[in-house]
Amino acid sequence: DTEVTQTPKHLVMGMTNKKSLKCEQHMGHRAMYWYKQKAKKPPELMFVYSYEKLSINESVPSRFSPECPNSSLLNLHLHALQPEDSALYLCASSQDMRRPGNTEAFFGQGTRLTVV
Amino acid sequence: QQQVKQSPQSLIVQKGGISIINCAYENTAFDYFPWYQQFPGKGPALLIAIRPDVSEKKEGRFTISFNKSAKQFSLHIMDSQPGDSATYFCAARGQGAQKLVFGQGTRLTINP
């Protein structure tokens, strides 16, 4: 099973709403990632969790709050978003890339988020 | 120095032709160079990857050519098919780093 599952696939939320994106993998990977992708642009790294601890935060605004409840799950909590936050949010997982030989990252299908 | 420059932005190739996408980098600490394929509304999927100790890697119709001295690498798609129409991203990662640096992407269209 090389699948990273993201829910929901589509989400429309108002600027005052609170919502969460969910990501799940069962490949035994110990690193999980959130990326944001705008149309016709490459994915931009937001957060990296390694062994359930936050290891990278790419200066993401606090209205995005990640959470890693266990090694298989990754959440992204959203609050008071702006219309410019509308994008495809991608989750990915991999073995610990800091170890030699661990390279491949598997991406989920993404959540298409629209902020109105 | 963290950038990966990808060209062209868009490419149109006739069915059966060869599609070529190029990437260049500056950071000599990069040691892993993957190519991702992304269809509309889907997440990127790893297509093929190479390390700098190899000058070429082939998987089916897809080949990566790597020129370490020029700090360039390219993706060649032989016998291109309409189903290959997608956006392709090159990327690079330093040893022990957790972050992939992506190129800007190439939108490939294969005309039937």
Side-chain angles (χ1 to χ4, degrees):
Chain A
D1 180 9
T2 58
E3 194 170 332
V4 176
T5 304
Q6 290 187 244
T7 56
K9 286 187 170 46
H10 302 274
L11 179 62
V12 179
M13 62 184 290
M15 289 189 283
T16 58
N17 290 159
K18 285 184 181 180
K19 296 285 185 183
S20 296
L21 309 185
K22 297 186 183 303
C23 175
E24 190 169 1
Q25 58 88 14
H26 296 288
M27 294 178 276
H29 289 166
R30 302 312 299 270
M32 296 185 76
Y33 312 77
W34 281 115
Y35 284 83
K36 173 183 177 179
Q37 187 177 27
K38 299 284 259 185
K40 299 184 181 180
K41 295 292 185 183
E44 294 175 43
L45 184 65
M46 300 174 72
F47 303 104
V48 180
Y49 271 84
S50 183
Y51 295 89
E52 294 110 71
K53 286 186 169 43
L54 184 65
S55 60
I56 294 179
N57 176 342
E58 291 283 286
S59 303
V60 179
S62 59
R63 57 186 185 268
F64 295 91
S65 175
E67 178 196 20
C68 189
N70 60 55
S71 59
S72 300
L73 295 174
L74 186 66
N75 298 323
L76 186 63
H77 303 297
L78 314 172
H79 174 54
L81 294 193
Q82 303 297 310
E84 57 265 30
D85 296 322
S86 299
L88 182 68
Y89 287 84
L90 294 162
C91 174
S93 73
S94 73
Q95 298 290 0
D96 183 358
M97 284 196 182
R98 293 170 296 187
R99 294 186 177 181
N102 289 335
T103 52
E104 185 171 354
F106 294 86
F107 283 83
Q109 301 287 6
T111 293
R112 175 71 60 191
L113 175 67
T114 303
V115 182
V116 297
Chain B
Q1 240 206 347
Q2 284 294 315
Q3 284 185 333
V4 176
K5 295 182 180 178
Q6 184 172 345
S7 63
Q9 265 190 315
S10 62
L11 180 62
I12 299 174
V13 174
Q14 291 300 117
K15 179 182 174 184
I18 302 173
S19 304
I20 302 174
I21 305 170
N22 300 300
C23 285
Y25 64 98
E26 288 295 324
N27 189 346
T28 54
F30 287 150
D31 75 339
Y32 171 67
F33 301 89
W35 284 90
Y36 283 87
Q37 179 189 56
Q38 186 175 25
F39 293 105
K42 304 291 186 184
L46 180 67
L47 197 59
I48 187 172
I50 198 168
R51 291 197 175 274
D53 52 350
V54 176
S55 62
E56 186 176 281
K57 183 175 180 180
K58 184 175 180 180
E59 289 184 3
R61 295 185 294 110
F62 301 91
T63 300
I64 299 180
S65 297
F66 188 86
N67 186 329
K68 189 174 180 178
S69 61
K71 290 184 280 188
Q72 295 175 347
F73 58 110
S74 60
L75 176 69
H76 297 236
I77 306 174
M78 312 299 287
D79 186 27
S80 300
Q81 299 297 310
D84 297 330
S85 297
T87 299
Y88 292 80
F89 293 99
C90 64
R93 186 177 66 87
Q95 186 178 17
Q98 293 180 296
K99 183 176 179 177
L100 276 172
V101 180
F102 283 91
Q104 288 300 302
T106 296
R107 179 173 282 190
L108 175 65
T109 302
I110 307 300
N111 283 335

